[in-house]
Amino acid sequence: MKHALNVTREQDFAAWYQAVISEADLAEESGVRGCMVIRPWGYGIWERMQKLLDAEIKATGHENCYFPLFIPLSFFEKEAEHVDGFAKEMAVVTHHRLIQKDGRLVPDPEAKLEEPLVVRPTSETVIGAAFSRWVQSWRDLPVLINQWANVVRWEMRTRMFLRTSEFLWQEGHTAHATPEEAREETLKMLEVYRSFAEDCLAMPVIAGEKPENERFPGAVSTYSIEAMMQDGKALQAGTSHFLGTTFSSAQNIRFQNSEGQQELAHTTSWGVSTRMIGGVIMVHGDDDGLRCPPRIAPHQIVIVPMLRDTPEDEDILAYCAEITEALNAQDVFREPVRAHLDRKSAKAANKRWGWVKKGAPVIVEVGGRDLAAGNVSVLRRDRLYKADGKLDSAIMAKGDFIGGAVQLLAEIQTALHEEATAFISRNINRDVKDMEGLKAWFSAARPGWLEVQWSKPTGAALDKVVETLKGLKLTLRNVPSDAGPADGACIFTGDAAVERVLVGRAY
Amino acid sequence: MKHALNVTREQDFAAWYQAVISEADLAEESGVRGCMVIRPWGYGIWERMQKLLDAEIKATGHENCYFPLFIPLSFFEKEAEHVDGFAKEMAVVTHHRLIQKDGRLVPDPEAKLEEPLVVRPTSETVIGAAFSRWVQSWRDLPVLINQWANVVRWEMRTRMFLRTSEFLWQEGHTAHATPEEAREETLKMLEVYRSFAEDCLAMPVIAGEKPENERFPGAVSTYSIEAMMQDGKALQAGTSHFLGTTFSSAQNIRFQNSEGQQELAHTTSWGVSTRMIGGVIMVHGDDDGLRCPPRIAPHQIVIVPMLRDTPEDEDILAYCAEITEALNAQDVFREPVRAHLDRKSAKAANKRWGWVKKGAPVIVEVGGRDLAAGNVSVLRRDRLYKADGKLDSAIMAKGDFIGGAVQLLAEIQTALHEEATAFISRNINRDVKDMEGLKAWFSAARPGWLEVQWSKPTGAALDKVVETLKGLKLTLRNVPSDAGPADGACIFTGDAAVERVLVGRAY
């Protein structure tokens, strides 16, 4: 069986990932260090993600705002732990004008900023400063806001979607009167991310709390959703932080409570980014390219007319246009179906394989014979081949296809989710109880994760565990919210275990 | 008659503008020089603008992408005129790490970039570089893309929405095989902007070509839509540029034509920004705050329950919820109605005036008496007062109000457009034929614009005209596409006039 990409997942997973990004026209190198160009199909997927997640963020009472790209250094200096976490990777603006010198453009020494500005790596500081203006009384709380924005973290080694110097994300920021309410918010948004990943991206994830060493700089608790890629590695696909009073102290977010006393607000922040597109590729992709879950596919059904430069072409196009229109008049997942007629003048087989690589969930081909018989040829992207290795193209009566299209898209969404869920289920081992077993598990080719019992060490004891794991190229992922009870010994310390933690290789 | 703002348009237009922005919770100073915080109501208006304009941009065949925030200096050096136009106002990133020094954060001298990066002021150069990779053959043309992004132009004197160092916009960029096709695209997008301004923003504009001195740096022709603010000044609300081969030469966007020869592509670019929000304020605002056209109002109808902390409150809230739901189940302007129930615990009168200042098109108050009678009290924001200066609140049966709400919103959209159209019509004078008349017109308080005949001078002759006008604080706005014929003498040079040009004060 010959596949559409020139490298398979089995041969070289990293090269395969790059091949999908390139062949599916998702993104490309920009010529600007660490920054990518997100191409129309990749950006279309991001727009779909934005639309669906934005609706959930709004349904939970949050409003969108926009805060400055630039953050003065003085804002960062107020919170030491936070700045330590980001100082190594900040893009710094120092000048506001260019001049010509010896035929080259250079920053104008006369236009040096008095205080350098950082390009936001995240916005807790500048949004905290706004909250301190907005919050005076308990009546002003909670403040529930979100921002869709670009952020910059200077990365030395970049990988498209997964780690780029500039990326797109949403960052939610909230302030509350009590720590209980802020914790509840943190977990509510974790659940929004979990259900978004499962229901919209068809991407199974494990939600849980990060161990101390993996906390966001300045957070009291950090929670994440972790997805398993097809090479067994973990991708942190979203995080939600309970920030306690770290940022309200630093930025002076105080309110008068109902008894007339001044209190510090309790804040949270939470975000997901274009990194999720990388996750979708590595969870659903196959050796023919991307397989895009219908809910986030820019086009859910692509109609490819097989034209031959004959007068019949016009009839075929009219027939295809009629089908496209009938599809788009229906609703799926409570939105209009997104069917697209590919009118480009290229060979039909090339167009078909182009859409296969892009991962359009359903590809419909229509030739002269189909037209004459009132038929269409239907390819499901999630199961492209028959057992004999031939393309599994089904000839259907036009009306049957249109009438069943909504059901078909729902089926494909479910099938991708089930396939990925089966994969993660069979690649998490919960039975390993000692370091020998752990080493053996991770010495396999492309191991999945271990869920092990541990004593939740802190400080130096935790550092030691982290160091040991680092030697094995492993990290602690999170403590799954729905993990079973701990009833044995800690795999790392031998002490009585108190909970279960996920261990794995990670992106 | 007492108004909701503490300054009127008549008293001090600039102070009134700031008061609307502040009292309607549209935006605020961020503490970061030249950058504003766009607050939820302001950002909600921007989201509505984005949604409506994005649909038009896609309907005309464009796809969204995302390009890097940072542009290496070398990209700019390729196009001298372009860089000259922007060099004076560019934010320059020179370092990628901070360190602590004497207790302060400073850029790390060890982490100086080899090549400084500019924060994009506009993306012709970096998008041109992408086009040069994408375009090989005539079959790859046209390339029709758009980007929603933040851009930075370092401004010394800023004014919220109108001129900020960072702003949000969309920038369309296209490449074509022939200059004719590129010109056609330029005018097509100008028309998209014109109809968007008129139909969605209820903002009448004059579309036309900018004179040579007002062209975008590097453009062959620049077109604009110009809106008239209530103080008579012009606001350039959108621009569309025919770039010829300026950027295709600089960035090497070449294609093989159908005869096998290499040709340069012809490019365009076009953009509108958050500046339009400033335009909406100054076109539709009144002495009680903003009046938001229904098509871009985040909430079109706000229901304010008049609660008194009595058991009846629950019945009032249920009644209001039922009305909100019935409104939202209807469609207006081919979208669901956006009705909002204001459940906040504040005095009803304060809530009412809050929504008046924000400019919600319809405000519905419901008290115990309304509930008992099955009524609602309805305020139209576009005509708040009766002739006697009292609030023009209409008591209506609940069912009548719900049944007429769609019609009412359409009427308000039309009424705002008609009011603004009448204003611009009576404030453009087309009859002034000499400089004496011009000076007299502009010596009035808050003059509008003149449409004068001119000989379209170029080079030094044009510079002289521009200089003269500058002395009068005037600029040439554009040559209206639908202006009448020129049949007299040029008001500036005395030569035979060839066309008509708009002259006015501008933001």
Side-chain angles (χ1 to χ4, degrees):
Chain A
M1 196 153 69
K2 200 169 153 292
H3 288 288
L5 304 181
N6 57 15
V7 55
T8 67
R9 289 163 292 175
E10 189 58 35
Q11 286 164 352
D12 184 337
F13 197 78
W16 166 83
Y17 176 73
Q18 293 300 336
V20 175
I21 288 172
S22 164
E23 294 291 314
D25 286 342
L26 295 169
E28 67 184 17
E29 297 290 348
S30 65
V32 183
R33 212 199 132 288
C35 299
M36 62 181 171
V37 172
I38 308 181
R39 302 192 61 178
W41 188 251
Y43 198 81
I45 293 172
W46 179 240
E47 284 183 304
R48 293 290 314 148
M49 290 180 175
Q50 285 190 297
K51 183 178 177 186
L52 294 168
L53 183 57
D54 191 66
E56 290 303 317
I57 289 171
K58 285 177 174 151
T60 43
H62 305 85
E63 294 182 299
N64 287 338
C65 299
Y66 189 76
F67 294 87
L69 171 68
F70 297 134
I71 305 181
L73 288 190
S74 57
F75 283 48
F76 279 97
E77 284 168 344
K78 294 180 183 167
E79 219 303 291
E81 192 182 340
H82 186 63
V83 73
D84 283 353
F86 289 104
K88 290 196 196 72
E89 49 184 41
M90 298 225 236
V92 192
V93 176
T94 54
H95 294 73
H96 63 81
R97 190 164 57 224
L98 296 172
I99 49 168
Q100 297 276 355
K101 196 183 162 189
D102 308 330
R104 294 298 308 263
L105 283 172
V106 294
D108 181 354
E110 302 289 304
K112 197 170 170 185
L113 299 179
E114 277 185 38
E115 180 180 10
L117 297 171
V118 160
V119 182
R120 64 180 161 220
T122 180
S123 302
E124 277 74 10
T125 54
V126 70
I127 293 181
F131 281 10
S132 76
R133 295 190 297 270
W134 298 357
V135 174
Q136 308 295 333
S137 141
W138 61 275
R139 287 191 185 81
D140 301 323
L141 293 170
V143 181
L144 306 172
I145 68 100
N146 177 61
Q147 155 169 287
W148 290 94
N150 53 345
V151 285
V152 171
R153 299 178 187 176
W154 203 265
E155 297 281 356
M156 282 304 157
R157 275 178 299 178
T158 62
R159 198 190 293 229
M160 274 195 272
F161 291 117
L162 302 181
R163 190 174 293 110
T164 48
S165 289
E166 182 191 13
F167 57 92
L168 304 182
W169 79 345
Q170 61 66 221
E171 48 180 323
H173 296 269
T174 69
H176 306 264
T178 66
E180 294 73 27
E181 200 186 301
R183 278 191 183 278
E184 191 184 311
E185 166 79 11
T186 310
L187 292 173
K188 182 196 283 178
M189 298 321 293
L190 183 71
E191 171 57 19
V192 164
Y193 289 160
R194 193 201 61 74
S195 63
F196 170 70
E198 301 262 355
D199 300 344
C200 298
L201 312 185
M203 180 195 278
V205 291
I206 308 280
E209 186 174 351
K210 287 288 206 189
E212 185 182 300
N213 64 306
E214 296 272 356
R215 275 182 206 142
F216 176 77
V220 175
S221 324
T222 285
Y223 299 81
S224 72
I225 53 170
E226 304 278 334
M228 187 184 284
M229 307 297 102
Q230 289 180 68
D231 62 353
K233 285 195 194 171
L235 186 79
Q236 178 177 297
T239 49
S240 185
H241 315 292
F242 169 56
L243 304 171
T245 56
T246 304
F247 290 92
S248 55
S249 309
Q251 307 294 336
N252 198 30
I253 312 171
R254 281 169 203 280
F255 65 99
Q256 192 171 49
N257 67 21
S258 53
E259 277 86 48
Q261 287 150 332
Q262 288 290 314
E263 283 190 48
L264 285 172
H266 302 264
T267 69
T268 83
S269 68
W270 26 275
V272 302
S273 74
T274 35
R275 177 166 238 233
M276 280 192 308
I277 299 173
V280 166
I281 296 168
M282 290 194 285
V283 166
H284 297 302
D286 68 12
D287 296 336
D288 292 298
L290 181 59
R291 297 187 303 169
C292 209
R295 292 200 67 178
I296 56 166
H299 306 317
Q300 295 169 319
I301 303 173
V302 175
I303 323 287
V304 178
M306 301 167 80
L307 307 175
R308 293 160 189 262
D309 281 327
T310 67
E312 200 190 22
D313 284 0
E314 236 171 82
D315 296 334
I316 294 179
L317 277 171
Y319 181 77
C320 289
E322 186 195 325
I323 294 169
T324 308
E325 208 174 304
L327 290 168
N328 285 334
Q330 303 183 69
D331 272 9
V332 64
F333 310 119
R334 296 178 301 282
E335 291 183 283
V337 168
R338 294 183 298 280
H340 170 74
L341 170 51
D342 183 354
R343 291 176 181 274
K344 283 213 175 129
S345 60
K347 279 174 66 180
N350 290 349
K351 291 206 278 188
R352 175 214 293 155
W353 284 104
W355 291 113
V356 164
K357 289 188 280 188
K358 282 187 158 77
V362 179
I363 301 163
V364 176
E365 291 175 293
V366 176
R369 239 182 305 175
D370 297 304
L371 171 64
N375 286 340
V376 292
S377 301
V378 181
L379 269 180
R380 268 179 74 153
R381 180 60 185 90
D382 62 319
R383 42 186 213 206
L384 208 51
Y385 299 101
K386 290 188 280 198
D388 62 5
K390 291 196 176 132
L391 274 186
D392 189 5
S393 182
I395 305 222
M396 298 175 72
K398 180 186 77 167
D400 289 348
F401 170 68
I402 293 169
V406 167
Q407 176 64 26
L408 176 62
L409 290 169
E411 264 176 47
I412 294 173
Q413 182 80 24
T414 302
L416 288 171
H417 188 244
E418 283 174 355
E419 190 179 325
T421 302
F423 180 82
I424 190 172
S425 296
R426 71 172 178 269
N427 286 289
I428 301 182
N429 183 329
R430 296 184 173 82
D431 299 327
V432 170
K433 295 199 161 36
D434 54 36
M435 287 303 286
E436 289 312 297
L438 182 146
K439 285 176 192 166
W441 170 266
F442 285 110
S443 68
R446 301 187 181 179
W449 308 340
L450 290 186
E451 185 188 286
V452 297
Q453 302 202 17
W454 80 330
S455 57
K456 201 181 179 177
T458 58
L462 175 60
D463 290 346
K464 209 176 134 191
V465 170
V466 170
E467 205 53 36
T468 302
L469 290 174
K470 201 175 168 189
L472 300 164
K473 294 184 180 168
L474 296 172
T475 51
L476 298 166
R477 304 313 305 156
N478 69 22
V479 174
S481 308
D482 61 356
D487 49 14
C490 175
I491 190 171
F492 305 115
T493 63
D495 296 341
V498 298
E499 61 188 17
R500 290 162 174 270
V501 66
L502 281 178
V503 180
R505 303 229 158 93
Y507 278 95
Chain B
M1 196 154 68
K2 204 170 151 288
H3 287 288
L5 304 181
N6 57 16
V7 57
T8 67
R9 290 162 291 175
E10 188 58 34
Q11 285 165 352
D12 184 337
F13 197 78
W16 166 85
Y17 177 72
Q18 293 300 335
V20 175
I21 289 173
S22 164
E23 294 291 313
D25 286 343
L26 295 168
E28 66 185 18
E29 297 291 347
S30 66
V32 183
R33 212 200 133 289
C35 299
M36 62 182 170
V37 173
I38 308 181
R39 301 194 61 179
W41 189 252
Y43 198 79
I45 292 172
W46 179 239
E47 283 183 304
R48 294 289 315 147
M49 289 180 176
Q50 284 190 298
K51 183 177 177 186
L52 294 168
L53 183 57
D54 192 66
E56 289 304 314
I57 289 171
K58 284 175 175 153
T60 42
H62 306 85
E63 294 181 300
N64 287 338
C65 299
Y66 189 75
F67 294 87
L69 172 68
F70 298 133
I71 306 181
L73 288 191
S74 56
F75 283 49
F76 279 96
E77 284 167 345
K78 293 179 183 166
E79 218 303 291
E81 193 182 340
H82 186 63
V83 74
D84 283 352
F86 288 104
K88 290 193 196 76
E89 50 184 40
M90 298 227 235
V92 191
V93 176
T94 54
H95 295 74
H96 63 81
R97 189 162 58 225
L98 297 172
I99 49 166
Q100 296 277 353
K101 197 182 161 190
D102 308 330
R104 294 299 307 264
L105 283 173
V106 294
D108 182 354
E110 302 290 304
K112 197 170 170 184
L113 298 179
E114 277 184 39
E115 181 180 10
L117 297 171
V118 160
V119 181
R120 64 181 160 217
T122 181
S123 302
E124 279 73 11
T125 54
V126 70
I127 293 182
F131 282 10
S132 76
R133 296 190 296 270
W134 299 355
V135 173
Q136 309 294 333
S137 138
W138 61 275
R139 286 191 186 81
D140 301 322
L141 293 170
V143 180
L144 305 173
I145 68 99
N146 178 58
Q147 155 169 286
W148 291 93
N150 53 345
V151 287
V152 171
R153 299 178 187 177
W154 203 266
E155 297 281 355
M156 283 304 157
R157 276 180 299 178
T158 61
R159 198 189 295 229
M160 276 195 271
F161 291 117
L162 301 180
R163 190 172 294 109
T164 48
S165 289
E166 181 190 12
F167 57 92
L168 305 181
W169 77 346
Q170 62 67 222
E171 48 180 323
H173 295 267
T174 69
H176 306 263
T178 66
E180 293 75 25
E181 201 187 301
R183 279 190 181 278
E184 191 185 311
E185 165 80 10
T186 309
L187 293 173
K188 181 197 283 178
M189 298 321 292
L190 182 72
E191 171 56 20
V192 164
Y193 290 160
R194 193 202 60 75
S195 63
F196 170 70
E198 302 262 354
D199 300 344
C200 298
L201 312 185
M203 180 196 277
V205 292
I206 308 280
E209 185 173 354
K210 287 288 207 189
E212 184 183 301
N213 65 306
E214 296 273 356
R215 273 181 207 145
F216 176 78
V220 176
S221 325
T222 285
Y223 298 82
S224 73
I225 53 171
E226 304 279 334
M228 186 183 285
M229 307 297 103
Q230 288 180 69
D231 62 353
K233 285 195 194 171
L235 186 79
Q236 179 177 297
T239 49
S240 185
H241 315 291
F242 169 56
L243 303 171
T245 55
T246 304
F247 290 92
S248 56
S249 309
Q251 307 293 338
N252 198 30
I253 313 171
R254 280 170 203 278
F255 65 98
Q256 192 170 51
N257 67 20
S258 53
E259 276 86 50
Q261 288 151 334
Q262 288 288 313
E263 283 190 49
L264 285 172
H266 303 264
T267 69
T268 83
S269 68
W270 28 274
V272 301
S273 75
T274 36
R275 176 166 240 234
M276 280 192 307
I277 299 173
V280 165
I281 296 168
M282 290 193 285
V283 166
H284 297 303
D286 67 13
D287 295 336
D288 292 297
L290 181 59
R291 297 187 302 169
C292 210
R295 292 200 68 177
I296 57 166
H299 306 317
Q300 293 168 321
I301 303 174
V302 175
I303 323 287
V304 179
M306 301 167 81
L307 306 176
R308 293 162 190 260
D309 281 327
T310 68
E312 199 190 22
D313 283 1
E314 236 171 81
D315 296 335
I316 295 179
L317 277 170
Y319 181 77
C320 288
E322 186 195 325
I323 294 169
T324 309
E325 207 174 304
L327 290 167
N328 285 335
Q330 303 183 68
D331 273 8
V332 63
F333 309 119
R334 295 177 302 283
E335 290 183 284
V337 168
R338 294 184 296 281
H340 170 74
L341 170 50
D342 183 353
R343 291 176 181 273
K344 282 214 176 128
S345 60
K347 280 174 64 181
N350 290 349
K351 292 206 278 188
R352 175 214 292 154
W353 284 104
W355 292 114
V356 165
K357 289 189 279 189
K358 283 186 159 76
V362 179
I363 301 163
V364 177
E365 291 176 292
V366 177
R369 239 182 308 176
D370 298 305
L371 170 64
N375 287 339
V376 292
S377 300
V378 180
L379 269 180
R380 269 179 74 154
R381 179 62 184 91
D382 62 319
R383 42 186 211 207
L384 209 51
Y385 299 100
K386 289 187 281 199
D388 62 6
K390 291 197 176 131
L391 275 185
D392 191 4
S393 181
I395 305 218
M396 297 175 72
K398 182 186 76 170
D400 289 350
F401 171 67
I402 294 169
V406 167
Q407 175 64 25
L408 176 62
L409 290 169
E411 263 176 49
I412 295 173
Q413 181 80 25
T414 302
L416 288 171
H417 188 243
E418 283 175 356
E419 192 180 325
T421 303
F423 181 83
I424 191 172
S425 296
R426 70 172 179 267
N427 285 290
I428 301 182
N429 183 329
R430 295 185 171 82
D431 299 327
V432 170
K433 296 198 160 40
D434 53 37
M435 288 302 284
E436 288 312 297
L438 182 147
K439 285 175 193 169
W441 171 266
F442 286 109
S443 68
R446 301 187 181 178
W449 307 340
L450 290 186
E451 185 189 284
V452 297
Q453 302 202 19
W454 81 328
S455 58
K456 200 180 181 180
T458 58
L462 175 59
D463 291 345
K464 209 177 134 192
V465 170
V466 169
E467 204 53 38
T468 302
L469 290 174
K470 200 175 169 190
L472 300 164
K473 294 183 179 168
L474 296 172
T475 51
L476 298 166
R477 305 314 305 158
N478 69 21
V479 174
S481 307
D482 61 358
D487 50 14
C490 174
I491 190 171
F492 306 114
T493 63
D495 296 342
V498 299
E499 62 189 15
R500 290 162 174 269
V501 66
L502 281 179
V503 180
R505 304 230 157 92
Y507 278 95

